[in-house]
């Protein structure tokens, strides 16, 4: 009985360790709300097109917009291409511990491209870097002769 009780509390601690940090999430969202206007999805995608200097595939822009909201709980309409994933958005802290693998699974379901071997969130400093990587994956798959 005592072991079951101990396991229960250890499980609660583990759950807390792996869960998003609600305080940091609220702080980031508060800062974003105080400093930036919300954009429509279309305008948000346009900011990435300007930052990247290329057209962003609309399905990709919408995907990233929705997925960032789902995985991070941040107000994505206020995020910008220059936002740093760790320093500004605290993405590892505001998201569930397994968000990268979930993100890859969602990308596979949406675009039939498996990112799991090439995706490491530490490789991307900014949202612009993440969008550029995803766009490159879609473009390179479209240019493959077997597709």
């Amino acid at each position: 009985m005592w072991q079951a009780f101990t396991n229960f509390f250890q499980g609660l601690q583990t759950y807390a360790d792996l869960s998003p940090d609600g305080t940091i999430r609220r702080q980031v969202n508060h800062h974003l709300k105080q400093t930036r206007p919300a954009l429509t999805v279309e305008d948000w995608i346009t900011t990435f097109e300007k930052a990247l200097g290329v057209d962003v595939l609309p399905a990709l822009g919408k995907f990233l917009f929705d997925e960032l909201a789902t995985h991070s709980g941040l107000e994505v309409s206020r995020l910008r291409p220059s936002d740093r994933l760790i320093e500004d958005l605290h993405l590892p802290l505001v998201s569930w511990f397994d968000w990268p693998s979930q993100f890859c699974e969602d990308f596979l379901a949406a675009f039939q491209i498996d990112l799991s071997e090439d995706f490491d969130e530490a490789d991307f400093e900014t949202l612009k870097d993440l969008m550029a990587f995803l766009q490159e994956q879609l473009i390179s798959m479209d240019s493959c002769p077997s597709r």
Side-chain angles (χ1 to χ4, degrees):
M1 170 92 170
W2 182 250
Q3 184 63 36
F5 188 69
T6 302
N7 287 344
F8 174 75
F9 279 106
Q10 287 176 341
L12 286 178
Q13 181 60 44
T14 300
Y15 181 80
D17 291 343
L18 301 177
S19 299
D21 187 322
T23 301
I24 293 176
R25 182 186 283 175
R26 283 188 295 280
Q27 289 171 348
V28 172
N29 277 328
H30 178 74
H31 172 73
L32 293 171
K33 191 171 188 173
Q34 296 298 314
T35 60
R36 305 176 180 177
L39 300 175
T40 64
V41 175
E42 293 79 15
D43 289 340
W44 190 80
I45 293 169
T46 299
T47 66
F48 280 90
E49 291 176 335
K50 289 176 183 173
L52 292 168
V54 298
D55 290 342
V56 171
L57 300 167
L60 175 60
K62 176 88 169 86
F63 172 83
L64 188 57
F65 187 93
D66 293 341
E67 291 297 312
L68 284 173
T70 297
H71 294 291
S72 71
L74 298 176
E75 291 186 44
V76 177
S77 64
R78 298 179 192 279
L79 303 183
R80 302 298 183 260
S82 61
D83 287 334
R84 296 172 299 171
L85 300 178
I86 296 173
E87 292 87 349
D88 301 329
L89 304 179
H90 305 280
L91 206 54
L93 298 175
V94 301
S95 304
W96 283 93
F97 80 98
D98 66 342
W99 83 265
S101 62
Q102 288 296 301
F103 184 85
C104 290
E105 287 178 21
D106 295 342
F107 195 85
L108 177 61
F111 300 106
Q112 292 72 52
I113 298 173
D114 185 1
L115 299 177
S116 61
E117 295 295 318
D118 301 316
F119 189 85
D120 182 352
E121 71 275 19
D123 289 343
F124 313 112
E125 182 178 354
T126 65
L127 280 177
K128 175 184 166 184
D129 299 336
L130 176 57
M131 180 71 85
F133 169 78
L134 297 173
Q135 175 107 344
E136 180 59 35
Q137 300 308 303
L138 290 175
I139 290 171
S140 66
M141 291 307 290
D142 281 345
S143 65
C144 287
S146 63
R147 287 203 89 162

